[in-house]
Amino acid sequence: MKYFITTAIDYTNGAPHIGHAYEKILADVLARFQRLRGREVFFLTGVDQHGQKVQQAAEKQGVSPQAFTDQVSQHFLKLWEQLSVSYDAWAATTEEKHRRVVKNILSDLVARDWLYKASYSGHYSIRQEQFLTDKERGEDGSFGPEWGEVVFFEEENWYFRLSRCKEWLLQFLEKHPSFVVPEFRGNELQNAAAKVAGDLCISRPKSRLSWGIEFPFDANFVTYVWFDALINYISFAGYGSEDAAEKAHFEKYWPCDHHLIGKDIMAPAHGIYWPCMLHAIGFADDQMPQLLVHGFWNSRGEKMSKSLGNIVDPKLLTDRYGASALRYYMMRDIVMGRDADFNEERLINRYNTELSNGLGNLVQRTLSMVFRYRAGNLSSKSTDAANNCVAPVLASSSMNETLVEKASSCCAPSTPCSSSPSATLKTDFKNVTLSASFESHRQADLASIKEYCEQMETSQVHAALETIVNLLYRANAFVDTTAPWKLAKDSAAADQLDGVLITLLQSARVAASLLMPIIPVASEEILRQLALEPISLVGDIAIPAFPQNYVAGQPTPVFPRIVVEESQ
């Protein structure tokens, strides 16, 4: 089984911002999850280095465009390393392998009458690097500020017969509703496709733009940046290569399972231009990739922009709070496909409440009790004996005095129990069933694993994290309801105490395993301290038996609380 995910390649005309970070973290989380599922993953990302804005920015700095883009690319590479983004291939559109594929595609398309040369006069947006029509004008007849500087050009260019694809595209979208995820974004694309008119200008005269891939059959022109950049999704996967291994790689992984893109570049670039280009190149309908479209991180309801001065720097946040805090928050606080407001206070609160108080507290207190009551050693034989009895009377949770309802008393340690009384843990998320039985607790954890996998398979990462948070609430409340500090004082309850500790260790193991795609470094450290292997998500899901003659690792805080000093 294989999984191919790629992100929109970053435009090398500025430093990485929070939108770049979110997209790469999300792609990394999905790729890591698929690896845990046993699939062979190809995760492609990179940088788009051509275009007029890049050429102008390089000129302002007095350096060559290549030197400029290489410098900016390093900022992206360093940040992705800092954020543990585990990509398999890096696409830089100035690489020769990409240039060769672009030129071969252009030559093939012109030979099959998909390209033609014509004169055009009209307004051109420098910022968006595209020609504008009257439909882009406002009610007062002017072009809005979103287009930046607009100039009038009259020039000759090469055109791609986009209009020839319109009917095919409309039929394709109707027959393949899953081409775009989430569904409501697909509806937006259908509306945009219905408005397609005319053909696509795919060249720029060298007289005003020299920084681009030269047309193989007309040296006076370079390739339009969007036409060039989109081809990276196949060129860096091995399409058009003369190398047998690269050809086999492409055949193995294409079509791409997920093109992860922002909603702003779905139409027209990825939702209209790209499938039409693939169609013209010769790809069949069932070889089209799937577009996974995410929303924006806003600031107080407004889109982040340099002009508003509300850009969030992911490097500063990572330096301040760590990669785990940022990765967790960005996956936890946004619904796939929707917009969200970035809030640094919520980042701190999520970290302190769910990672530090939730997972960190569970691991720390459990391992501490293993050392305090069992000198760091446990045997799994205790679990079966303990499962013959439910736990002591459910007590009030220290997490929340109203969390746990009253439940039946426990049988005496030597008396088999015929029932498993339970109580409902009320959280801000949903009701979580607490059971006084170790086996019932294990079954609840197993159900959480399966629910998590279903949510992750549909890219609902925020929902999967909610499932983990509920598991942590349940496990931490289990500590209080079973009161191991009381069991430790009763020699007759030795098996039951072992069962409590083993149950808690297993719950911590499950939580750390499920969090591996989201916070990989912290999860690995937790599993190291637990001295337990991660659970397997391949095939039939099960919680592994607790190892015989277990020896715990020394507990060390993985999520120290973030303390914000109040200004005087």
Side-chain angles (χ1 to χ4, degrees):
M1 299 175 67
K2 60 87 181 175
Y3 178 77
F4 179 10
I5 184 170
T6 182
T7 69
I9 54 179
D10 300 314
Y11 199 59
T12 51
N13 192 34
H17 56 69
I18 203 68
H20 293 132
Y22 167 65
E23 185 172 272
K24 298 305 175 290
I25 292 171
L26 176 56
D28 182 65
V29 167
L30 297 176
R32 287 178 181 272
F33 169 73
Q34 294 296 338
R35 293 187 189 109
L36 291 180
R37 294 288 275 171
R39 298 184 175 111
E40 295 182 77
V41 173
F42 179 57
F43 173 15
L44 173 67
T45 190
V47 284
D48 172 13
Q49 298 176 304
H50 291 129
Q52 190 165 13
K53 287 184 289 187
V54 172
Q55 179 175 292
Q56 292 174 338
E59 290 172 352
K60 287 181 180 179
Q61 291 194 12
V63 298
S64 69
Q66 186 68 67
F68 174 79
T69 56
D70 287 346
Q71 179 183 3
V72 176
S73 295
Q74 286 302 311
H75 294 306
F76 286 98
L77 285 165
K78 289 179 181 178
L79 181 60
W80 304 156
E81 181 180 3
Q82 190 176 9
L83 288 173
S84 300
V85 177
S86 60
Y87 56 86
D88 297 294
W90 177 258
T93 55
T94 55
E95 287 191 28
E96 182 56 35
K97 65 185 296 183
H98 174 72
R99 298 170 68 89
R100 183 177 64 252
V101 172
V102 171
K103 289 186 174 185
N104 289 343
I105 288 174
L106 289 169
S107 295
D108 175 66
L109 291 177
V110 74
R112 294 189 292 111
D113 194 35
W114 276 99
L115 307 181
Y116 65 91
K117 196 174 184 180
S119 296
Y120 176 84
S121 62
H123 291 88
Y124 183 82
S125 165
I126 301 296
R127 174 187 293 175
Q128 301 299 337
E129 300 193 39
Q130 71 179 66
F131 285 100
L132 306 178
T133 63
D134 287 340
K135 69 179 181 179
E136 277 85 35
R137 294 181 184 272
E139 293 182 358
D140 61 354
S142 64
F143 296 102
E146 67 273 17
W147 299 109
E149 181 185 1
V150 176
V151 296
F152 185 84
F153 281 131
E154 184 172 2
E155 62 187 20
E156 197 173 35
N157 269 306
W158 283 92
Y159 290 83
F160 169 67
R161 297 187 188 277
L162 185 68
S163 57
R164 183 186 288 179
C165 299
K166 181 175 181 178
E167 290 305 315
W168 167 83
L169 179 61
L170 291 173
Q171 292 179 18
F172 171 79
L173 293 177
E174 183 177 352
K175 293 178 181 178
H176 300 81
S178 62
F179 173 63
V180 178
V181 176
E183 184 179 355
F184 72 92
R185 295 294 180 200
N187 296 333
E188 294 175 4
L189 179 58
Q190 285 185 322
N191 294 332
K195 298 176 183 178
V196 169
D199 294 328
L200 175 64
C201 178
I202 63 165
S203 71
R204 298 295 182 263
K206 275 189 177 179
S207 57
R208 65 179 176 89
L209 175 62
S210 60
W211 182 238
I213 298 177
E214 184 180 285
F215 267 55
F217 45 83
D218 195 333
N220 294 319
F221 296 88
V222 296
T223 310
Y224 171 45
V225 63
W226 268 114
F227 194 90
D228 153 22
L230 289 169
I231 291 172
N232 97 89
Y233 301 127
I234 57 177
S235 65
F236 287 96
Y239 176 83
S241 175
E242 297 178 357
D243 181 79
E246 291 187 354
K247 286 181 179 179
H249 185 274
F250 184 77
E251 292 174 359
K252 175 180 179 178
Y253 284 103
W254 193 265
C256 180
D257 294 88
H258 285 140
H259 274 182
L260 184 58
I261 60 171
K263 65 178 185 179
D264 57 327
I265 55 174
M266 178 186 69
H270 288 81
I272 296 176
Y273 299 164
W274 183 225
C276 289
M277 287 166 60
L278 289 172
H279 175 69
I281 292 169
F283 286 80
D285 289 8
D286 61 1
Q287 294 178 302
M288 296 293 159
Q290 183 183 71
L291 304 182
L292 184 58
V293 185
H294 65 78
F296 285 156
W297 278 97
N298 297 322
S299 178
R300 297 180 180 179
E302 293 183 315
K303 182 179 178 181
M304 294 184 188
S305 68
K306 291 181 181 178
S307 59
L308 294 175
N310 59 359
I311 292 291
V312 176
D313 186 344
K315 184 181 185 305
L316 289 178
L317 289 171
T318 307
D319 291 341
R320 186 177 300 158
Y321 303 117
S324 292
L326 182 60
R327 285 177 66 105
Y328 184 85
Y329 170 71
M330 300 210 77
M331 296 298 100
R332 181 76 172 98
D333 236 30
I334 191 170
V335 177
M336 181 63 212
R338 302 290 182 179
D339 292 349
D341 252 20
F342 187 89
N343 187 307
E344 197 166 340
E345 291 182 3
R346 285 181 63 82
L347 182 155
I348 296 171
N349 185 59
R350 289 288 192 195
Y351 174 90
N352 283 339
T353 302
E354 298 175 1
L355 291 183
S356 184
N357 288 359
L359 178 57
N361 183 50
L362 174 65
V363 173
Q364 186 80 10
R365 70 199 303 200
T366 300
L367 287 175
S368 295
M369 288 188 292
V370 171
F371 277 93
R372 184 180 303 120
Y373 304 136
R374 292 293 182 263
N377 302 293
L378 283 169
S379 172
S380 62
K381 67 180 181 180
S382 305
T383 307
D384 293 335
N387 272 334
N388 290 323
C389 179
V390 294
V393 179
L394 298 178
S396 295
S397 168
S398 60
M399 296 174 63
N400 187 326
E401 291 298 324
T402 63
L403 284 181
V404 184
E405 299 174 351
K406 293 181 180 180
S408 302
S409 299
C410 176
C411 308
S414 60
T415 306
C417 294
S418 58
S419 61
S420 299
S422 64
T424 300
L425 175 64
K426 297 175 181 178
T427 73
D428 293 335
F429 310 97
K430 57 186 173 183
N431 288 338
V432 179
T433 300
L434 275 178
S435 175
S437 160
F438 303 123
E439 175 60 20
S440 295
H441 188 92
R442 189 184 73 85
Q443 289 298 328
D445 282 356
L446 183 60
S448 292
I449 298 171
K450 293 178 179 178
E451 183 179 14
Y452 161 92
C453 287
E454 291 172 358
Q455 291 159 336
M456 290 291 286
E457 289 287 6
T458 56
S459 306
Q460 299 300 312
V461 182
H462 70 287
L465 282 173
E466 183 174 314
T467 296
I468 297 173
V469 168
N470 287 329
L471 183 153
L472 292 170
Y473 268 87
R474 184 171 64 240
N476 276 299
F478 190 74
V479 178
D480 299 318
T481 61
T482 56
W485 49 90
K486 293 182 180 180
L487 297 175
K489 298 176 182 179
D490 183 358
S491 59
D495 284 347
Q496 194 173 37
L497 175 58
D498 285 354
V500 169
L501 297 176
I502 289 171
T503 300
L504 292 172
L505 286 166
Q506 290 283 56
S507 287
R509 176 191 206 175
V510 169
S513 298
L514 300 187
L515 281 167
M516 286 185 72
I518 292 91
I519 47 172
V521 175
S523 294
E524 288 175 6
E525 172 58 20
I526 289 170
L527 289 166
R528 187 194 66 79
Q529 291 186 26
L530 293 173
L532 293 170
E533 293 294 321
I535 61 171
S536 174
L537 300 182
V538 180
D540 294 332
I541 297 173
I543 299 176
F546 196 75
Q548 293 284 348
N549 303 317
Y550 169 79
V551 179
Q554 286 289 341
T556 304
V558 179
F559 305 111
R561 284 183 62 83
I562 297 173
V563 179
V564 180
E565 296 182 4
E566 296 184 7
S567 58
Q568 301 296 324

